[in-house]
Amino acid sequence: MLNNSLPDLGQGAVAEGKEMKQSLIGQGIISGIVASLQAKLVEVPIYTEKVEQDAVKPYLMVKLQSVSHDQRMNGRFARGYTFDIELHSDTYAQAYEWLEQMLEVLVEIEAEDGPLRGTDVKAEMKEGVLHVGVSYVVQLMKQTAKPPIMQQLEQRELIAQGG
């Protein structure tokens, strides 16, 4: 169950050579992560912005940690989204059991425009909270206006007179 609205993360453009739906890229990835995790961990509440004060363990918190934007050739870009997923549980054993399931899910999620492969998946325990890090890279192409098509070509011939 998604308990909070998704954050506003920036405008999308063209992904994988296709035009993005009029949505936000980061928001679509968060939705894909949440849907994938909910399918596997049905009974665990998932938050995306802030946790309610009376939240009862166990629960997950999905946070966008960083965004990178690398320019490539010919109007192409690679935008990387890194997420930190916090797993708050009562016991370490429960956290590590769910970690195995989460790792299976995060390797490939279904986002709005198709599957995305997770990279740099890492997990570590900090102060009783299991942090799972994962990155997703989206290939973008900047759309440029097409130049006008030539309508007519006028050609003139000259005859050179020589000797």
Side-chain angles (χ1 to χ4, degrees):
M1 99 171 79
L2 182 61
N3 292 318
N4 296 344
S5 61
L6 297 173
D8 185 7
L9 301 173
Q11 291 294 329
V14 176
E16 300 292 335
K18 298 181 215 168
E19 189 170 329
M20 291 285 289
K21 297 174 184 135
Q22 294 299 323
S23 66
L24 306 174
I25 298 171
Q27 193 173 34
I29 296 172
I30 289 175
S31 296
I33 291 171
V34 169
S36 299
L37 289 172
Q38 281 179 337
K40 195 71 165 179
L41 303 170
V42 179
E43 70 280 355
V44 181
I46 300 174
Y47 298 92
T48 59
E49 286 188 9
K50 62 181 179 179
V51 179
E52 300 168 4
Q53 282 188 339
D54 59 346
V56 179
K57 291 181 181 179
Y59 64 88
L60 290 169
M61 176 69 178
V62 180
K63 297 189 291 188
L64 178 63
Q65 194 170 36
S66 65
V67 178
S68 64
H69 187 82
D70 297 324
Q71 186 170 358
R72 306 283 166 91
M73 295 177 66
N74 300 327
R76 296 180 187 273
F77 301 89
R79 191 175 294 165
Y81 294 86
T82 302
F83 294 89
D84 179 31
I85 303 167
E86 296 177 4
L87 174 57
H88 298 261
S89 68
D90 293 322
T91 65
Y92 288 132
Q94 184 182 44
Y96 288 120
E97 179 184 323
W98 286 345
L99 172 63
E100 293 299 323
Q101 295 175 27
M102 289 173 62
L103 293 177
E104 284 180 30
V105 168
L106 296 173
V107 169
E108 186 171 283
I109 63 165
E110 190 66 35
E112 288 180 2
D113 292 312
L116 280 177
R117 190 167 301 276
T119 59
D120 300 325
V121 182
K122 301 173 188 169
E124 72 176 314
M125 188 68 76
K126 289 183 187 174
E127 299 177 12
V129 177
L130 182 64
H131 293 265
V132 180
V134 62
S135 297
Y136 297 96
V137 177
V138 178
Q139 302 297 324
L140 304 170
M141 184 186 316
K142 183 177 181 182
Q143 288 201 331
T144 57
K146 294 181 181 179
I149 299 173
M150 188 171 21
Q151 301 221 353
Q152 281 187 334
L153 174 64
E154 187 178 315
Q155 185 175 358
R156 295 183 185 180
E157 290 185 37
L158 297 175
I159 299 174
Q161 293 190 358

